[in-house]
């Protein structure tokens, strides 16, 4: 037991240190896999020795049993709020009041009669929620919300899940009782990832990071909180017993930092009103580029003795003030809801607003995403609405001011006909295809069925088709595409290749030379790589990367267009949903018609026609069985079936007795397999998949081709921060030589991020998404290993 305890303690110490390096210092010290291994070892030991589980163990971050309610917490030192300054004059008044309040305490000025300047700390005002963290003997024992300032709620189990909140303080010179106060918030990247996940899962999206943080912190089920990207930043303290903190705000925060408590990297110590204004302006100018929302900056008299002298007025300290930025939320009237038709026919509502100034910009439109969002907001035309602009994000409607709803407010309805072409608008339920049965999620999209007969879809489709990363036709801007469509010269992308000089010259903006240039650019685009062509087709959910992957893996348009969804899912990163989109796009007769017209007009595809070696013989019988999605047969069941029968034909011909004789195969699974085999359509589908795998050379019996691929082929890497050993260009070139693609931003598809000193939001995003991160030394090692 004592040996196990020693190991438990050693593991905890190591994991605490790694957590700190990762979440507070932004400098991961071991690979994720190694961290996971240590974590699992600790989990296992704690499982074997439940008595040894302590509240400060890193395993306690994953959340625990759900609560029924939160209990109340009395704040012995009340959690107060701050007075606000909006104009410059408010700030000068604040500094004057501080000077007057300090009176004799303020040292005499210099010989020229100016008074000595008061030192202040400057901090950003994070837009999240105030929380109190109680540390006893250096261990986090309680977390609480602010509540009304005197009574809050006990949210200990939730704050424990916040990754950058230390469960145990570092060092040993902290006071035995220390209450740390600060803000819990969600960064922009965390918010985007959270909403992306919500969309993918068909659950509700959050209106803004603050709401998401508030909702996450007040979850009774801490496992949900654990899955949310909450972060903490300390700005003050409450109870301190048995020891003392430093004597100034600035130095106390520096102590916090040493003890592993995250503080703002924007913390400054300055003197005099002018310096405060300069800080306000500097942060204001960088506000949009910060990776989290702030609504102003906070100035505090730095000296704690001076703070005590100044004291409080009502519930606000006289020694601090929040200098707010102009509001990012405003109210205005919803004049109308119009509907826009996108490239894939999706009909989306757009709010037309009475123009209003929000943080210096006139806003008259806001996106409403979809009809679910309209319903969620309970929006009616004529309503007074709260709108919000955050950074460079498109303005959003946040909520309706119900008290101001006029009597003649009108419901928002989506027309049954497309506002552009008059075709029917169909409501399609979003289908979530997962393991087992398809499930219908809550969301619904409305689509105009007009396809290219719908002017809006046609224009968008052609704009996409000619764009730089697609067919790359120079000189065909959005306006010209619109003009050519309106003139009736383009009814499909294929018509581009049939355009004639006589029909264009003389159109507005087209003289002899410009007409010839345009036709030359179109002609030049005829020869195109398969990847660009696939991307240009604008298949829903198929971006540039997926298009490249399809082209590289399958090698020919013929294969891509015939591939069954189950076969497409053998490609990395192609899920069943995308596979279905691709398959139904090519199965559609209208799309087939456009593609043949393009080829008839002389578009020539550069195709390798070869199946990529990586995919020759990549399928196994077990994996095919798994992809058939038979109830109660997942991967182990599929493996047992594959072992028992050896071939698909043997399995399809299996009789009742054969099925009973499979070792460790449940009666339920056997029954479900029998039902599956009794349906001829299922048998035909299984046979079609096998036939296609054989035809493509992906079948387990197909001859394996030698792998000639580059070691990093198919991977996407991101470089961020400063690299010291080699330049970024060199690193990029090296990676590309090894077959990797180097991208500018981090997404869930990124394989690895190389982060040098000074790495910021990209590193944070990688961590939030769980993408592997290497420092430059580890990167050099990896390169060495790959190049030998
Ligand atoms: S100090 C007695 N500092 O703003 C001083 N508050 O309006 C109490 N806030 O409830 C607060 N960033 O949630 C302080 N750097 C900062 C802050 C900050 C955000 C929030 C906090 C507080 C509210 C006060």
């Amino acid at each position: 037991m004592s040996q196990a305890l020693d190991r438990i303690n050693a593991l905890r110490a190591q994991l605490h240190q790694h957590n700190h390096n990762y979440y507070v210092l932004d400098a991961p010290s071991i690979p994720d896999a190694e961290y996971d291994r240590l974590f699992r070892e600790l989990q296992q030991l704690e499982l074997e020795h439940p008595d040894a589980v302590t509240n400060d163990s890193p395993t306690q971050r994953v959340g625990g049993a759900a609560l029924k309610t939160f209990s109340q917490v009395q704040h012995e030192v009340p959690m107060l709020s701050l007075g606000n300054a909006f104009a410059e004059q408010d700030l000068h008044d604040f500094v004057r009041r501080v000077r007057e309040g300090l009176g004799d305490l303020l040292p005499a000025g210099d010989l020229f009669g100016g008074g000595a300047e008061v030192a202040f700390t400057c901090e950003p005002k994070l837009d999240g929620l105030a929380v109190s963290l109680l540390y006893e003997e250096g261990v986090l024992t309680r977390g609480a919300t602010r509540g009304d300032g005197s009574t809050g709620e006990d949210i200990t189990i939730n704050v424990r899940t916040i990754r950058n909140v230390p469960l145990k303080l570092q060092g040993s010179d902290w006071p035995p009782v220390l209450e740390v106060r600060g803000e819990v918030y969600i960064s922009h990247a965390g918010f985007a990832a959270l909403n992306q996940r919500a969309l993918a899962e068909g659950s509700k999206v959050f209106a803004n990071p603050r709401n998401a943080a508030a909702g996450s912190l007040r979850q009774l089920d801490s496992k949900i909180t654990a899955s949310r990207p909450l972060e903490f930043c300390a700005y003050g303290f409450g109870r301190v017993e048995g020891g003392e903190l430093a004597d100034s705000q600035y130095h106390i925060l520096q102590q916090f930092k040493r003890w592993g408590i995250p503080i703002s990297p924007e913390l400054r110590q300055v003197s005099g009103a002018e310096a405060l204004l300069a800080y306000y302006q500097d942060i204001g100018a960088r506000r949009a580029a910060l990776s989290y929302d702030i609504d102003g900056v906070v100035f505090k008299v730095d000296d704690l003795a001076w703070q005590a002298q100044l004291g409080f007025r009502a519930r606000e300290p006289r020694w601090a003030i929040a200098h707010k930025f102009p509001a990012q939320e405003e109210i205005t009237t919803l004049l109308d809801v119009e509907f826009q038709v996108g490239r894939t026919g999706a009909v989306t509502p757009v709010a037309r607003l009475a123009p209003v100034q929000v943080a210096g910009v006139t806003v008259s439109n806001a996106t409403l995403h979809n009809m679910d969002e309209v319903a969620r907001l309970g929006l009616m035309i004529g309503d007074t609405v709260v709108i919000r602009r955050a950074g460079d994000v498109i303005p959003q409607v946040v909520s309706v001011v119900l008290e101001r709803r006029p009597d003649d407010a009108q419901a928002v309805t989506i027309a049954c006909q497309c506002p552009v072409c008059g075709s029917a608008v169909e409501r399609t339920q979003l289908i979530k295809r997962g393991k087992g049965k398809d499930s219908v999620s809550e969301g619904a999209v409305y689509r105009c069925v007009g396809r290219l007969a719908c002017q809006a879809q046609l224009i968008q489709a052609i704009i996409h088709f000619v764009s730089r990363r697609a067919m790359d036709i120079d000189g065909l801007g959005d306006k010209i595409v619109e003009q050519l469509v309106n003139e009736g010269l383009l009814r499909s992308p294929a018509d581009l290749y049939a355009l004639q000089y006589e029909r264009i010259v003389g159109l507005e903006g087209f003289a002899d030379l410009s007409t010839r240039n345009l036709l030359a650019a179109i002609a030049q685009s005829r020869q195109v790589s398969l990847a660009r062509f696939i991307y240009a087709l604008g298949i829903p959910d198929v971006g540039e990367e997926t298009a490249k992957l399809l082209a590289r893996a399958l090698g020919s348009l013929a294969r891509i267009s015939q591939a069954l969804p189950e076969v497409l899912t053998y490609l990395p990163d192609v899920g069943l949903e995308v596979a279905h989109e691709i398959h139904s796009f090519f199965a559609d007769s209208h799309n087939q018609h456009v593609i043949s017209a393009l080829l008839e007009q002389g578009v020539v595809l550069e195709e390798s026609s070869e199946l990529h070696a990586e995919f020759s013989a990549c399928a196994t019988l077990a994996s095919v069985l798994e992809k058939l999605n038979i109830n109660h047969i997942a991967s182990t069941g599929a493996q047992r079936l594959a072992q028992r029968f050896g071939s698909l034909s043997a399995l399809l011909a299996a009789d009742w007795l054969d099925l009973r004789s499979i070792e460790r195969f449940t009666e339920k699974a056997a029954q479900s397999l029998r039902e599956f085999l009794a349906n001829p359509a299922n048998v035909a589908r299984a046979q079609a998949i096998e036939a296609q795998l054989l035809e493509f050379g992906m079948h387990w019996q197909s001859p394996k081709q030698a792998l000639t691929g580059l070691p990093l082929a198919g991977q996407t890497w991101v470089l961020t921060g400063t690299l010291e050993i080699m330049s970024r260009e060199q690193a990029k070139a090296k990676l590309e030589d090894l077959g990797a693609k180097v991208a500018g931003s981090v997404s869930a598809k990124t394989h690895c991020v190389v982060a040098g000193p000074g790495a910021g939001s990209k590193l944070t995003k990688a961590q939030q998404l769980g993408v592997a991160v290497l420092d430059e030394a580890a990167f050099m090692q990896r390169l060495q290993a790959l190049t030998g």
Side-chain angles (χ1 to χ4, degrees), residues 81-85 122-128 183 185 210 233 235 264 266 279 283 287 290 292-300 321-325:
S81 56
L82 291 167
N84 291 324
C122 311
E123 304 156 20
K125 187 169 189 298
L126 293 170
D127 198 4
E183 201 84 347
Y185 64 99
R210 206 194 110 88
C233 178
Y235 54 64
S264 172
E266 305 292 346
Y279 182 84
I283 296 280
R287 183 183 186 187
L290 293 179
Y292 41 81
D293 280 350
I294 59 173
D295 53 359
V297 293
V298 182
F299 301 130
K300 297 172 186 165
I321 197 158
H323 195 180
K324 295 289 217 42
F325 292 129

Side-chain angles (χ1 to χ4, degrees), residues 53 91 170 192 421 431 433 480 570 621:
V53 180
L91 193 66
Q170 301 195 329
C421 71
I431 308 286
R433 293 191 177 87
I480 299 178
Y570 278 104
L621 176 56

Side-chain angles (χ1 to χ4, degrees), residues 16 32 90 128 130 149 169 257 356 363 374 394 422 433 462 498 519 551 640 664-665 686 707 742 753 773-774:
H16 277 310
D32 292 358
D90 301 338
L169 299 180
K257 192 173 168 182
V356 61
V363 172
V374 174
I394 313 166
R433 293 191 177 87
I462 297 179
L519 290 176
R640 287 192 186 127
R664 285 184 296 158
F665 200 64
L707 252 181
V742 179
V753 171
V773 177
L774 296 180

Side-chain angles (χ1 to χ4, degrees), residues 719 723 726-738 740-744 779:
L719 302 169
L723 297 188
M726 55 167 78
S727 74
R728 263 207 211 194
E729 280 62 42
Q730 286 169 321
K732 182 165 187 268
K734 274 257 188 291
L735 284 168
E736 284 172 348
D737 284 348
L738 291 167
K741 187 178 154 281
V742 179
F779 172 57

Side-chain angles (χ1 to χ4, degrees), residues 1 105 141 187 199 256 354 404 501:
M1 175 74 186
L105 280 181
T141 53
S187 71
L199 269 179
F256 282 6
R404 298 210 196 167
Y501 178 91

